Amino acid sequence: MNALVGSFYRVAMPFQRFVLRRRVRRLTMENLDGLSIVVLPDVFNGVVFRTGALLARAVGGHAARDTKARALDMGTGSGLGALAAARVGYRVTAVDVNPEAVRCTRVNALLNRLEERVEVLEGDLFDAVPRQVFDLILFNPPFFGGAPRDLHDLSWRSNDVFPRFVAALPSALKTDGLALVVLSTHGDAAGQASLLLTAPSLSVRAEVVRHFGNETLTVYAVRHAPAANA
């Protein structure tokens, strides 16, 4: 059965790519679970490429515990994760190194009447939020190695973003906080997952796994590891 599914996706892939090209690197409007999302040409489309949608939907199972709960959507792109977190009660800070993504997320916060709950900042990873801690952190990282060729490629390629994220994560996550990180087998999922799993101060489990024939996506739930003397 798995071989049959894989064969189907290989046959369908050229047609799928043709269809998807009409919604990538162009100004498009997407809808995800009632959220209206404008995607600018230089911004990653997390609905088309599924990772953003899967991460945003995973947030629904982790509603804010109180009115002061704070979320950080790292590499926010079009703001899918930030808007999903705001809808379930968080005060959200959305961060992206791409200035077009910052513009895009601000537009989408206004479009969905969530601008009072979503602050959008331009910056490189946690440099945008120094010494701040969060109840929830979301990350849909670049999956491929190499230097990005343009603004759009920032969401796909990096030589060091994921290791730097993992190294800084514990200090930005509250003691009882949660990080949700989505990884794809289209990239180095095994290597990136290994960085999470071997980090000495983090406890990691696969929370959501989805198979799409030619790709498997996993959302990892990350918390502080229990103290050795606990």
Side-chain angles (χ1 to χ4, degrees), residues 66-169:
D66 58 62
T67 58
K68 295 182 179 179
R70 299 184 66 208
L72 172 67
D73 186 21
M74 183 64 72
T76 190
S78 64
L80 277 176
L83 299 179
R87 271 207 314 196
V88 295
Y90 291 92
R91 293 203 166 273
V92 184
T93 301
V95 172
D96 207 294
V97 71
N98 179 354
E100 288 298 287
V102 171
R103 289 179 59 214
C104 193
T105 298
R106 286 175 177 158
V107 167
N108 287 325
L110 285 164
L111 185 62
N112 291 277
R113 300 179 184 275
L114 291 168
E115 69 274 14
E116 292 186 1
R117 303 196 67 83
V118 179
E119 175 190 30
V120 191
L121 303 175
E122 181 180 341
D124 179 27
L125 290 177
F126 296 100
D127 289 349
V129 287
R131 297 177 297 281
Q132 296 184 45
V133 293
F134 299 88
D135 300 273
L136 176 69
I137 296 177
L138 310 175
F139 194 34
N140 182 3
F143 297 137
F144 301 103
R149 296 166 293 192
D150 52 32
L151 286 178
H152 188 272
D153 214 31
L154 284 168
S155 60
W156 292 99
R157 301 180 196 281
S158 167
N159 288 315
D160 65 350
V161 163
F162 198 75
R164 289 192 293 120
F165 171 82
V166 173
L169 178 60

Side-chain angles (χ1 to χ4, degrees), residues 7 24-25 33 39 50 80-81 94 110-111 119 131 147 158 165 170 172 183 211 221 224 229:
S7 297
V24 175
R25 289 184 179 262
D33 302 334
V39 185
R50 301 185 288 223
L80 277 176
L110 285 164
L111 185 62
E119 175 190 30
R131 297 177 297 281
S158 167
F165 171 82
L183 299 179
H211 303 288
H224 284 286
N229 59 355

Side-chain angles (χ1 to χ4, degrees), residues 1 145 151 155 178 196 199 228:
M1 179 62 71
L151 286 178
S155 60
L178 169 71
L196 281 174

